[in-house]
Amino acid sequence: MKTQSVDLTSKLAQFSEHWAPRTVAEFNGHDIMIAKIKGEYAWHSHADTDDFFLVVKGTVFIDLPGDVTVQLDPGQLFVVPKGVEHRPRAEEEAHILLIESTGTPNSGDVATAAPRRVI
């Protein structure tokens, strides 16, 4: 049993790459991850799982089909339903917390996904 809390600020200070999530904890078969993002990510979807985004710092936009955009500020979250194409983006660097089933490719495709990194 782990008895230490996870300090997200400390974990975020350990890397600088954008769009390269880091797993900071595991929960019932899910990875709890943090990521730094800036610019646009590719349009993608996840056929078998929802996509959870919680903004820790900055402003994040989630583009959805039909010219719909969801704006998320710190402390706000959004869940993209499985199978829905989406594109996260941030004009300035933003920090997010993600929860995904362990092994879920962040790009929706194993061939283009970032590798799983645990910190």
Side-chain angles (χ1 to χ4, degrees):
M1 173 174 63
K2 293 183 180 183
T3 58
Q4 291 186 341
S5 64
V6 176
D7 183 333
L8 296 180
T9 301
S10 172
K11 296 290 188 182
L12 283 158
Q14 293 181 29
F15 65 97
S16 59
E17 302 94 343
H18 296 132
W19 307 108
R22 302 299 203 273
T23 298
V24 296
E26 296 176 23
F27 174 77
N28 291 333
H30 291 72
D31 285 342
I32 299 175
M33 299 175 288
I34 52 173
K36 294 179 179 182
I37 65 172
K38 184 176 180 183
E40 294 180 350
Y41 197 69
W43 281 95
H44 68 285
S45 64
H46 303 272
D48 300 319
T49 184
D50 298 334
D51 212 355
F52 174 98
F53 295 87
L54 170 67
V55 176
V56 175
K57 177 182 173 186
T59 299
V60 174
F61 301 93
I62 308 290
D63 295 328
L64 300 167
D67 291 325
V68 174
T69 298
V70 176
Q71 178 176 328
L72 301 171
D73 294 310
Q76 295 182 314
L77 68 85
F78 183 72
V79 177
V80 178
K82 68 181 175 181
V84 174
E85 192 173 33
H86 58 285
R87 176 181 63 184
R89 59 184 172 88
E91 294 171 7
E92 300 294 327
E93 183 175 271
H95 301 169
I96 59 175
L97 184 135
L98 308 161
I99 301 175
E100 295 181 348
S101 297
T102 299
T104 299
N106 68 322
S107 65
D109 180 357
V110 174
T112 60
R116 184 174 189 256
R117 297 180 181 136
V118 178
I119 59 171

